[in-house]
Amino acid sequence: TSGWSNPAPAQVWVDLTVTSVESNGITVSATTASEPWILVMKISQGGVLGYESELWTNTELLNPDSPEDMPDNAKYQAFLDTPFKRLRACVGSSNGKCVHHSFDVEWSSAKDIFSAGYIRDPRVDQAGLIQALGATPGSYRACPMLFPGFNVECPDYNKARW
């Protein structure tokens, strides 16, 4: 087969933080107390946004009017056109159990990073991912990641976007 994707164990929100956000003529700087996180994607049940989904690499939107707190699969316009240096994925809600990642360079969009092929990054927070996903000790093998990073395609069809 061409691989498979596990369904999301719960709702997963993918947010980006940027240097500034302008909305309705008001600019919010990242140097303020609250970071300007922008929701770019929500992953829910059904496998719609599994690893093999073309939605990771194309310009098609999915449920672009879906409210942030509604359990749903969604890909927003911000996925295509929001530059960022930090990425956050949260499980359960947009402020639930979150794991963060910072990049040395600014990406022009989430589409660009998820279309780039394998990106090795040993700074991926393995413990943070395990904790955010709510994996119980003993339900997984405690070993280092063989391919830390983004757009990972391991032998035996194990694949992960992050």
Side-chain angles (χ1 to χ4, degrees):
T1 65
S2 63
W4 57 275
S5 296
N6 286 329
Q11 296 292 313
V12 178
W13 279 254
V14 181
D15 304 300
L16 305 176
T17 186
V18 295
T19 55
S20 68
V21 178
E22 185 171 328
S23 177
N24 297 326
I26 300 170
T27 300
V28 178
S29 170
T31 59
T32 61
S34 61
E35 295 181 88
W37 289 103
I38 298 172
L39 183 63
V40 298
M41 179 180 275
K42 294 187 304 184
I43 304 168
S44 188
Q45 302 296 327
V48 174
L49 289 166
Y51 186 91
E52 299 291 341
S53 173
E54 293 180 0
L55 289 164
W56 289 97
T57 58
N58 68 22
T59 58
E60 182 182 344
L61 301 180
L62 176 67
N63 300 322
D65 298 321
S66 177
E68 180 176 316
D69 59 348
M70 176 184 280
D72 202 1
N73 288 297
K75 177 181 164 188
Y76 300 99
Q77 183 65 39
F79 187 93
L80 305 175
D81 58 19
T82 304
F84 67 98
K85 285 187 77 170
R86 294 188 66 212
L87 180 67
R88 175 178 82 167
C90 300
V91 178
S93 74
S94 61
N95 293 301
K97 298 175 183 173
C98 301
V99 62
H100 299 81
H101 190 79
S102 296
F103 298 93
D104 292 332
V105 298
E106 183 173 85
W107 285 90
S108 60
S109 70
K111 177 188 172 290
D112 283 354
I113 192 170
F114 293 117
S115 300
Y118 176 55
I119 301 165
R120 182 170 176 75
D121 193 335
R123 298 172 302 158
V124 168
D125 182 4
Q126 180 181 14
L129 285 167
I130 291 169
Q131 184 178 21
L133 292 171
T136 56
S139 68
Y140 57 90
R141 291 184 11 192
C143 54
M145 291 185 281
L146 296 175
F147 300 98
F150 295 81
N151 308 314
V152 178
E153 295 188 26
C154 298
D156 301 323
Y157 302 110
N158 293 316
K159 299 179 180 184
R161 288 292 172 183
W162 177 10

